[in-house]
Amino acid sequence: MSDSLGSGPRPPAPRTAPTTLRTRLAELRGPAAVPHPLDARALAALAANPGCRRRALLDGAGVDKAALASALGSPSGYGQSQFAFMRGNAFEAKVKADGGAELLRLLGAAEPGEVRTPDLAAAGPEGRAARTALALREATAAGCWSLLDHPMLALEVAGSPVYLEPDAVVVRPDGRWTVVEIKSFPMIDGSADASKVGAAARQSAVYVLALERVAAVTDGAEVSPSVVLVCPKDFSNQPTGSVVDVRKQLAVTRRQLARLTRLEDIAAAVPDGVTFDVAGCSAAELTAAVEAVPHAYAPECLAACELAFHCRDRARAAGAVEVLGRSVRGELGGLTTVGDVLAAARGEDGDADDPAVAALRRATSLRAEALTEPLAPAPATPEPEAAPCR
């Protein structure tokens, strides 16, 4: 008789985690929903808020958060207008015209000679990523200028592969790889809007991080820690370039992505039957599904996430101190709601030895003292003496 029911050691079960996770994410997304791709901009925003499990799961499952926000009754104001999108495409086409001659000039290649522009077409994102990796190796070995137009890069995020598409990657004759980011906002007198440049730097850092994975297995390759930002010059449509050092953003992105909880753990905590299928669920069902996954709202989400308005309304309804900002939340320690803060300030609750509670009570005392103490009368201004008659 076999020992299949005994307590002896059994052979390890085959690993089916990737297939199981893929199936689970498809169930969460909806059977007929097309996966929404996760781009570098969204990935940079996700890295800036790694504690938000809701965004990590929705992005990992490929849920269209803009459509989900509209179905929840909180449409997003985040995104790019159609006019800006068309203007950006037209400017990018101008930068890359004539085989990228203008772009290479901005990179300092006055006489580039032969410029390789490999064909990166392939089936699916996996095929394009493999074709890009091969083209990068061939370009490095060729020892000449190469321009990769919209290459596909792969990066693992929270245990799930993400495919990224930078505007361009230039391979120099010395084997250095440089990310090129083309934006349609102007660069006036050699400088651009600091917030827009910062967002572009964070987005480019994600591309550099993905490129480093390919460079690590390519002989003679080196990824430049500086990216080239190309924008319209002044009020014209003439391209101009600026070198942006992204080492700081790269270190922050690498650290924050490492902090992300793996998608398997987040998906396992979601009750069975929960789905974010916008086409097949009512607003009430979608609301219940979204609330089944915890979020980490902060005011910065308003400029980076389609669900920010919905999460802000929920945070306000719960009285969460996160609506006041991350810096305020950090100063308040264990006081997690506005009610707790007010009760601690009035002396109705809270540990007096807690520095946050002590600071709140001291501030309350100073405020009461300032409001009850009468103001000192202003000193009388002496009247000017009359000029003597002459």
Side-chain angles (χ1 to χ4, degrees):
M1 185 175 180
S2 67
D3 193 33
S4 59
L5 299 178
S7 58
R10 298 182 181 181
R15 296 183 62 183
T16 59
T19 303
T20 302
L21 176 63
R22 190 177 296 111
T23 303
R24 178 59 172 151
L25 294 179
E27 293 173 352
L28 292 171
R29 184 174 60 248
V34 178
H36 197 70
L38 180 63
D39 59 12
R41 182 180 301 179
L43 191 56
L46 179 60
N49 191 10
C52 187
R53 293 192 165 204
R54 178 176 297 174
R55 172 154 195 168
L57 182 61
L58 293 175
D59 282 344
V63 177
D64 186 348
K65 298 195 298 298
L68 178 60
S70 298
L72 293 172
S74 301
S76 169
Y78 169 73
Q80 191 177 38
S81 68
Q82 188 66 22
F83 173 75
F85 184 75
M86 294 174 60
R87 182 182 60 186
N89 284 344
F91 179 69
E92 181 178 339
K94 178 180 178 63
V95 173
K96 295 178 179 178
D98 299 327
E102 180 68 16
L103 177 57
L104 293 178
R105 184 189 65 80
L106 295 174
L107 269 70
E111 298 292 339
E114 179 190 1
V115 179
R116 295 166 56 96
T117 55
D119 182 11
L120 304 178
E126 299 92 340
R128 289 188 59 200
R131 181 68 188 91
T132 297
L134 178 60
L136 285 168
R137 297 188 185 100
E138 292 174 346
T140 304
C144 63
W145 288 93
S146 298
L147 174 62
L148 278 68
D149 186 9
H150 283 284
M152 183 66 71
L153 307 174
L155 184 66
E156 184 175 300
V157 178
S160 180
V162 174
Y163 297 96
L164 310 168
E165 188 176 354
D167 292 330
V169 172
V170 173
V171 179
R172 299 173 182 265
D174 60 0
R176 277 188 302 158
W177 302 352
T178 303
V179 171
V180 177
E181 190 65 13
I182 303 173
K183 297 296 184 181
S184 59
F185 56 81
M187 191 175 295
I188 302 174
D189 291 335
S191 62
D193 184 272
S195 62
K196 294 180 179 179
V197 172
R202 290 188 294 272
Q203 180 178 342
S204 300
V206 178
Y207 298 138
V208 173
L209 190 61
L211 268 180
E212 288 181 343
R213 297 185 59 192
V214 184
V217 293
T218 304
D219 293 335
E222 178 187 0
V223 181
S224 174
S226 297
V227 303
V228 176
L229 179 62
V230 180
C231 301
K233 183 179 181 180
D234 298 330
F235 300 100
S236 69
N237 202 36
Q238 180 66 28
T240 184
S242 177
V243 178
V244 180
D245 190 337
V246 297
R247 281 178 292 186
K248 179 180 178 181
Q249 292 83 356
L250 185 61
V252 171
T253 301
R254 185 182 288 110
R255 182 173 64 253
Q256 296 293 66
L257 290 180
R259 291 177 53 197
L260 285 172
T261 306
R262 296 184 66 84
L263 285 177
E264 293 96 334
D265 300 332
I266 303 176
V270 178
D272 292 337
V274 169
T275 179
F276 306 103
D277 187 1
V278 176
C281 296
S282 64
E285 291 172 332
L286 290 174
T287 300
V290 169
E291 294 305 312
V293 187
H295 68 92
Y297 171 78
E300 294 82 357
C301 296
L302 294 172
C305 183
E306 295 85 344
L307 284 179
F309 289 154
H310 174 82
C311 296
R312 182 184 63 178
D313 292 343
R314 296 297 174 175
R316 285 176 173 175
V321 297
E322 283 79 4
V323 298
L324 304 176
R326 290 194 180 102
S327 59
V328 176
R329 174 67 187 89
E331 293 290 340
L332 293 175
L335 303 174
T336 59
T337 67
V338 175
D340 293 340
V341 173
L342 296 176
R346 291 192 294 258
E348 300 170 356
D349 196 6
D351 184 3
D353 295 331
D354 187 337
V357 174
L360 287 169
R361 292 180 181 175
R362 175 61 177 163
T364 302
S365 175
L366 292 174
R367 179 179 182 275
E369 182 180 340
L371 293 177
T372 57
E373 186 174 300
L375 296 176
T381 303
E383 296 183 2
E385 296 182 1
C389 296
R390 293 186 178 182

